[in-house]
Amino acid sequence: MLLEYFLFGMMTFHLSGAQNEVTEVFAEAGSQAVLPCKCGPPSARIPAIIWRKDGKSTVWRKQKSGLEYWGYAWSSKTQRVRCPHTMFESGDFSLQIDNVKEEDGGVYSCRVERGVQVIEKTVTLRITRVSVSSSAPIWGSDVSITCNVTPWPLEALVRWTLNDSPFEPQNGAASNTRTAAMEKATGRLTGNWTCVVNYKGQEGRASATLSVQGVIHPPRDDAKVYAAVGSAVTLPCVFSPGLIPSDPVWEKLKPVFLTKPAPGRLPASFSASGPLSPLPSDQSASLKEVGLGDEGRYRCSGVIKGQRLTRNMQLVVAKVHSSVQSQNTGSVTLTCQLTDTGEVTNYEWVHVIYDLKGSRSVGPILEGKTLNISTMSEGNQGEWSCRFYGKDGLLGNVTYHIQQMSGVSGEKPTSVSHNTAATVGLSFLLLVMLLILAQIYKNHQRRKGIFRYPALETIVHTVSNEREERERNAVKK
């Protein structure tokens, strides 16, 4: 008898005793969190379900009668909490929380009653968020980026990525800390920051975007701008949208000191946009005709919120140098020359020909910095363009014109034929005009000679009339 009572008690404890499991759930602030509560195979009985937070306040509950209730803190106009009934048949009583907030973090319990069977599950919800002291700091101002988890899990591992690449702090701080950066805002901090938290086999993520305000183009100091001799070029200096710099200044820097170059004289063809720019944030400048001596470093600056922001850039000038190898054959060597070749990885030459109709045709591409050709060959006439490339693609190009006339470098043959035709046409037109003028002058002199004797003109006219009258009378008879 005692054994039967013992077995009955064990079965009762098994059916009515609590089955408790703890689950970790991470959710980024503003997203949807799903707190799992799966209670095995479905049952024909209608269960009673109750979700609580921190062991006391009710979040949501459903009675066996089917009535639902929400806790006071969760019964706002917009229902953020729900337990989908469509999942009940499969024994899934998970709780969904929309637009989670940091205060939603904590320990939740799910209690499901199926007759005498009671099942309890515990879920710890941790809300992750990346906080930035300023989402759009001014270049050079202090900025900090921190990873927040509510509640914070002890012994959690943290790692940071910036634009999907691992981030390594410059100040020597460890990369697995809650604070990713606490330094001056520069372009290297711009982008999408992601904090990744690992705890008990679960991973939580949160992201935030940081955009450093200042000179956005060029995006970095000492960026190179390429231009050919004789061409026009724009030196960019564009501030972030909405920033209107005061007291904009352009300078050309003399390489007197490596760390602090001294301002020099701007080129004669230099023109700054200034207040006439259609966009106040665009303070770019231009050179109408680049000379070889215009190469070097330039600096633009402007005052934003009492702080002068600067950006340095380098103008690299390109030209084609030609050296005659043979006067008899017209052989020349063309060399593509740049004032700075630090970014150049390879060169190529392209032959471009224009016919009388202006149609453009491109010849084969030749690799190399130098090119040997004959200016006497008609097939080499036209434009030879030297293109130079860096690791990210085309940097720029410079063009050399091959013009030939009687074996000597001069005007293009097409231009010579055009000039000859024009000369012949003008000569013919001039000859016709001279003949017309001569005839007009001759007639004028004849009339002038007749009018010198008016009486004689009258006599001649009368005699002529009488002769015509006698001829008409003779015909009548």
Side-chain angles (χ1 to χ4, degrees), residues 415-433:
S415 300
V416 172
S417 61
H418 289 167
N419 292 339
T420 303
T423 303
V424 172
L426 288 175
S427 300
F428 180 76
L429 181 61
L430 182 60
L431 180 61
V432 172
M433 292 182 63

Side-chain angles (χ1 to χ4, degrees), residues 403-419:
Q403 302 171 347
Q404 191 174 14
M405 181 178 177
S406 301
V408 182
S409 180
E411 297 180 351
K412 293 183 178 180
T414 54
S415 300
V416 172
S417 61
H418 289 167
N419 292 339

Side-chain angles (χ1 to χ4, degrees), residues 383-394:
E383 294 180 358
W384 285 90
S385 178
C386 173
R387 300 173 181 173
F388 38 93
Y389 295 83
K391 63 178 183 179
D392 295 326
L394 181 66

Side-chain angles (χ1 to χ4, degrees), residues 100-413:
V100 292
K101 306 174 183 177
E102 285 188 277
E103 54 265 30
D104 294 339
V107 180
Y108 292 75
S109 64
C110 167
R111 180 183 175 90
V112 180
E113 298 178 1
R114 289 176 171 174
V116 295
Q117 185 185 26
V118 177
I119 301 174
E120 282 198 15
K121 294 184 180 293
T122 302
V123 180
T124 301
L125 175 61
R126 303 185 189 276
I127 309 301
T128 58
R129 184 175 67 89
V130 173
S131 61
V132 183
S133 57
S134 174
S135 60
I138 299 298
W139 190 288
S141 61
D142 294 327
V143 63
S144 64
I145 307 164
T146 307
C147 183
N148 298 316
V149 181
T150 308
W152 181 264
L154 298 177
E155 300 180 358
L157 297 178
V158 181
R159 60 186 175 89
W160 287 91
T161 63
L162 174 58
N163 298 325
D164 298 327
S165 298
F167 176 78
E168 298 295 337
Q170 279 189 339
N171 52 13
S175 59
N176 60 346
T177 59
R178 296 177 61 177
T179 301
M182 188 178 292
E183 56 186 87
K184 298 294 183 181
T186 59
R188 88 181 195 99
L189 302 182
T190 296
N192 186 51
W193 288 84
T194 301
C195 164
V196 183
V197 181
N198 289 282
Y199 180 69
K200 290 185 177 180
Q202 300 297 318
E203 183 180 272
R205 288 173 172 263
S207 299
T209 300
L210 186 145
S211 177
V212 178
Q213 301 288 294
V215 181
I216 59 175
H217 188 52
R220 57 182 175 81
D221 270 333
D222 298 322
K224 290 181 173 63
V225 180
Y226 294 85
V229 171
S231 66
V233 68
T234 297
L235 299 178
C237 184
V238 182
F239 288 77
S240 301
L243 293 185
I244 302 178
S246 60
D247 190 24
V249 175
W250 271 96
E251 301 167 293
K252 184 179 182 185
L253 305 178
K254 295 188 297 185
V256 178
F257 305 101
L258 295 178
T259 56
K260 293 184 179 180
R265 180 177 297 179
L266 291 169
S269 64
F270 183 90
S271 175
S273 58
L276 299 179
S277 173
L279 294 176
S281 59
D282 188 354
Q283 296 297 322
S284 302
S286 63
L287 274 74
K288 297 180 181 178
E289 186 175 350
V290 176
L292 195 60
D294 297 337
E295 63 88 21
R297 298 178 64 198
Y298 292 78
R299 179 171 63 197
C300 75
S301 63
V303 177
I304 301 293
K305 296 182 179 180
Q307 180 181 352
R308 180 167 288 278
L309 305 182
T310 64
R311 177 68 82 237
N312 296 339
M313 66 202 74
Q314 182 179 355
L315 176 61
V316 180
V317 180
K319 73 169 187 175
V320 175
H321 174 73
S322 64
S323 58
V324 179
Q325 302 299 319
S326 173
Q327 291 286 354
N328 297 329
T329 62
S331 176
V332 297
T333 298
L334 304 181
T335 305
C336 198
Q337 295 183 342
L338 284 81
T339 55
D340 190 308
T341 59
E343 293 182 344
V344 180
T345 57
N346 66 292
Y347 302 82
E348 67 179 24
W349 291 88
V350 180
H351 188 200
V352 182
I353 303 172
Y354 296 91
D355 59 18
L356 296 177
K357 297 180 180 180
S359 299
R360 181 176 180 267
S361 60
V362 178
I365 296 176
L366 304 176
E367 299 288 340
K369 184 176 181 178
T370 60
L371 177 68
N372 294 317
I373 58 175
S374 173
T375 58
M376 305 290 265
S377 174
E378 186 176 352
N380 290 332
Q381 297 173 20
E383 294 180 358
W384 285 90
S385 178
C386 173
R387 300 173 181 173
F388 38 93
Y389 295 83
K391 63 178 183 179
D392 295 326
L394 181 66
L395 298 175
N397 66 85
V398 58
T399 301
Y400 185 83
H401 297 267
I402 298 295
Q403 302 171 347
Q404 191 174 14
M405 181 178 177
S406 301
V408 182
S409 180
E411 297 180 351
K412 293 183 178 180

